[in-house]
Amino acid sequence: MSSPPIRQLALQGAAAILILSLAWPYFGLRGEAMPWLETSLAIGAAAWLFATLSRQPWWWRVIHAGFMPLVWFTHTLAIDPGWFLLAAILLLLVYRGALTGQVPLYLSNKQTVQALADLLAERGTSRFLDLGAGLGSTTIPLADTLPESRFTGYENAPLTCLAGRLLSIGRPNIDWRWEDMWQARLGDYDVVYAFLSPAPMARLWEKVQAEMKPGSVFISNSFPVPGATPDRVIEVDCVPPRPLYCYQR
């Protein structure tokens, strides 16, 4: 099976080929210049349709619809190509998870952190793992609130991980790992927390079942495990709603 980025690129390419194969002969026979604005909008509409038919998440539909019109718009600005290369490198350094695993950069809010702190306080001193820790919006305030517990954050985007490390300076109970979350040994932790996306949840649940020890708990922010019933759902008082799905091992 092809990787998610390749599938998305193929979908966008199919939309471009479809529209260009119709538009190019039409305007060529009429001896008219291609109306690139209208063509880019048509490609965006076709890509949105393909994304909808293939049941892509809403954010991918928006990306596909806007990609080609944005390409046309940036072309009219005559920006030096070097800036696009720099932007691509920076995006990869910050949003690597979105490209390699369909996991955007989410930041946990204060209400979620408080709910997690209350849950950890009930359990006592714990070893807490944050899969996809981002900038440390979860691990840092929890480490301050619960200094006796240990917190580990896995983050595969290098610039994001570096920022998290710098923001964690002075907190000896936080460890950072610049690694893919699939390399984490879940059995080393009492609580495993994930704020990812629907895409990796089925595979992650298999890893949780295989590695986490009895008595530990897996918590997913916003995205339930497909086909599994949570032992507890914590409704976080925030907008939009961010329930915590808790699965006891």
Side-chain angles (χ1 to χ4, degrees):
M1 182 180 295
S2 59
S3 64
I6 297 299
R7 290 199 297 271
Q8 304 302 340
L9 181 61
L11 190 153
Q12 188 69 217
I17 291 171
L18 172 64
I19 299 302
L20 291 177
S21 64
L22 296 174
W24 219 308
Y26 174 79
F27 289 102
L29 291 173
R30 294 170 60 91
E32 299 178 7
M34 181 83 75
W36 287 110
L37 171 58
E38 292 79 359
T39 302
S40 67
L41 292 173
I43 293 174
W48 176 85
L49 177 61
F50 290 163
T52 301
L53 293 175
S54 58
R55 299 182 179 180
Q56 298 285 337
W58 68 267
W59 62 84
W60 272 118
R61 301 181 195 183
V62 173
I63 291 172
H64 281 298
F67 179 75
M68 197 55 68
L70 183 61
V71 169
W72 172 85
F73 175 73
T74 53
H75 175 71
T76 64
L77 299 178
I79 300 174
D80 188 283
W83 289 107
F84 291 105
L85 176 60
L86 177 61
I89 292 174
L90 290 175
L91 287 172
L92 180 62
L93 292 175
V94 176
Y95 296 105
R96 179 184 172 190
L99 295 175
T100 60
Q102 294 184 278
V103 178
L105 175 62
Y106 289 122
L107 302 179
S108 297
N109 55 40
K110 294 181 179 180
Q111 296 92 328
T112 296
V113 171
Q114 185 58 56
L116 289 170
D118 293 341
L119 187 149
L120 291 176
E122 295 174 6
R123 297 179 61 89
T125 302
S126 301
R127 295 165 297 170
F128 180 96
L129 172 63
D130 187 353
L131 295 174
L135 299 173
S137 60
T138 299
T139 54
I140 292 174
L142 285 179
D144 290 338
T145 303
L146 303 164
E148 299 303 318
S149 293
R150 295 219 44 99
F151 299 87
T152 301
Y154 269 68
E155 176 57 53
N156 71 347
L159 193 58
T160 306
C161 185
L162 175 61
R165 284 179 180 272
L166 293 176
L167 292 171
S168 300
I169 289 176
R171 299 172 175 86
N173 57 334
I174 299 181
D175 296 318
W176 279 88
R177 305 287 179 86
W178 176 31
E179 293 185 58
D180 190 284
M181 68 177 182
W182 303 111
Q183 305 302 316
R185 298 173 56 180
L186 305 187
D188 294 340
Y189 304 93
D190 307 306
V191 180
V192 175
Y193 170 76
F195 190 8
L196 304 174
S197 78
M201 294 309 299
R203 180 185 173 192
L204 180 56
W205 180 240
E206 293 179 359
K207 183 175 176 67
V208 167
Q209 291 179 302
E211 298 181 18
M212 292 189 69
K213 297 177 181 179
S216 58
V217 62
F218 170 65
I219 305 172
S220 177
N221 186 334
S222 302
F223 307 110
V225 174
T229 302
D231 297 280
R232 180 180 178 185
V233 179
I234 301 175
E235 298 293 345
V236 179
D237 185 17
C238 63
V239 178
R242 294 295 185 192
L244 298 176
Y245 299 93
C246 305
Y247 302 85
Q248 190 73 38
R249 299 298 300 141

